[in-house]
Structures are given as C-alpha cells and as structure tokens.
Amino acid sequence: MALRNILMEGDETLTKRCRPVTDFNQRLHTLLDDMAETMQSANGVGLAAPQVGVLRRAVVVLETNTPEGEEHVIELVNPQIIETEGEQEGPEGCLSVPGSFGMVKRPARVKVRAQDRNGEFFEVEGVDLTARAFCHECDHLDGHMFTELCDHIMSDEELEAYYGKEDEA
Ligand code: NI
C-alpha cells in the first residue's frame, strides 16, 4: 500500500465526471488499498478516486457508527444511491479543501447499491456521518464539491458556536 497525493480544490480533475469501473483487477485493488490508507492517514472519513487523480467511479468511506475500535472501511465501486430518508444539516468538509467547513443538508439515512472490489453487487446503509459521506463521495464522482452546496465557508467562531452548542445538548 502507498499514500497517494490528494488533489486540492481548483484542480480541474475534481470537476470531471468519472467513468464506471469495468476491470476488477489488481490495479483496482491497489487503488482501493491506497485510497483507504490515504484517507485514514489524513484523518478523513471518505475519499473518492478523482481526489487521487483517477477518473473512475470508486470511493472509500470510513464507517464510524460502530463500537469503539471497530471502525471499518467500506469500498464502493460504481455506487448508486437507491434510497434516502430524513434530513440532517451540519458542517461538512473535504480532504481536497482542508480546514474548511460549510453547513450542508443531507439525508439522515442513505442506502447505496455498489459493486465490491471483485465486481459482486451489494447494498449497504449508512446513517448520520456515514450517510453524509456516501452522498459527498458520490458527488465527487460527478465532479461536484460540497462547496457548491453551502452558502459560505464557516468561520472559526461559527464552528466553535456550532460544536459548543452540540456539546451542551
Ligand atoms: Ni470530498
């Protein structure tokens, strides 16, 4: 496994629509392994292939709604959101826009149909942060960034106010 370079907002690659994955080969496995390592080393909860310069429909998401120590990486190849429910609004960020957060509305629960690294179809559900990450990463595959969905990047004061309020609740 190896760390890959994460492209930053402004790079044209991040605005392109990605092509489906058609070859479930070693090259894909290496890409997914590298993406998981790169995401975790950057303390992210999701990463899409175009963020490491590969215009293919593949993402990794860190499932954190688990007992402590049982976080695991979900690999989604050719993902499609097939069901959503409810709504959540909260600060959202991106490894391609480090240190910036904006308020983004997303569904509270999301069901995705995708292929695994061997081409087998499966369905997976996510809630809260995982639902947000599924939507955010799928957007990357169509060349979209969270910055298109929020009206401004939050200031330190706004972030502090948001998280301070949450801590009291
Ligand atoms: Ni992102």
Side-chain angles (χ1 to χ4, degrees):
M1 299 213 287
L3 292 180
R4 303 222 182 177
N5 183 38
I6 299 176
L7 301 179
M8 291 297 127
E9 189 183 31
D11 192 300
E12 221 180 62
T13 305
L14 295 174
T15 66
K16 303 234 158 93
R17 193 178 153 81
C18 299
R19 286 163 294 161
V21 170
T22 51
D23 295 327
F24 296 83
N25 53 17
Q26 187 56 50
R27 198 180 163 84
L28 173 68
H29 298 178
T30 303
L31 170 67
L32 291 167
D33 288 343
D34 289 354
M35 283 169 60
E37 194 182 353
T38 304
M39 167 183 74
Q40 289 180 287
S41 132
N43 291 315
V45 293
L47 188 69
Q51 291 180 277
V52 295
V54 177
L55 286 171
R56 290 286 180 176
R57 306 187 78 81
V59 313
V60 292
V61 167
L62 189 66
E63 173 59 275
T64 55
N65 292 314
T66 54
E68 208 176 326
E70 289 177 33
E71 293 180 349
H72 60 271
V73 175
I74 301 172
E75 299 174 348
L76 303 171
V77 179
N78 300 326
Q80 273 190 302
I81 292 172
I82 54 170
E83 226 177 271
T84 65
E85 193 185 280
E87 192 179 87
Q88 58 174 318
E89 187 172 26
E92 187 165 315
C94 178
L95 292 178
S96 294
V97 198
S100 295
F101 298 88
M103 290 296 264
V104 178
K105 273 187 193 155
R106 298 288 191 183
R109 187 184 68 86
V110 171
K111 189 192 272 189
V112 176
R113 179 172 157 82
Q115 283 166 283
D116 68 15
R117 58 167 59 201
N118 298 309
E120 296 294 325
F121 283 93
F122 69 101
E123 290 179 5
V124 60
E125 268 189 41
V127 297
D128 304 332
L129 183 59
T130 308
R132 179 176 292 284
F134 284 165
C135 297
H136 177 114
E137 301 313 326
C138 287
D139 281 353
H140 273 301
L141 301 180
D142 292 322
H144 294 301
M145 305 277 291
F146 83 92
T147 44
E148 300 164 42
L149 299 174
C150 60
D151 56 22
H152 68 285
I153 295 298
M154 295 168 79
S155 66
D156 289 348
E157 290 73 24
E158 284 176 303
L159 279 168
E160 217 165 274
Y162 178 86
Y163 285 112
K165 204 168 55 192
E166 197 177 54
D167 287 345
E168 280 164 30

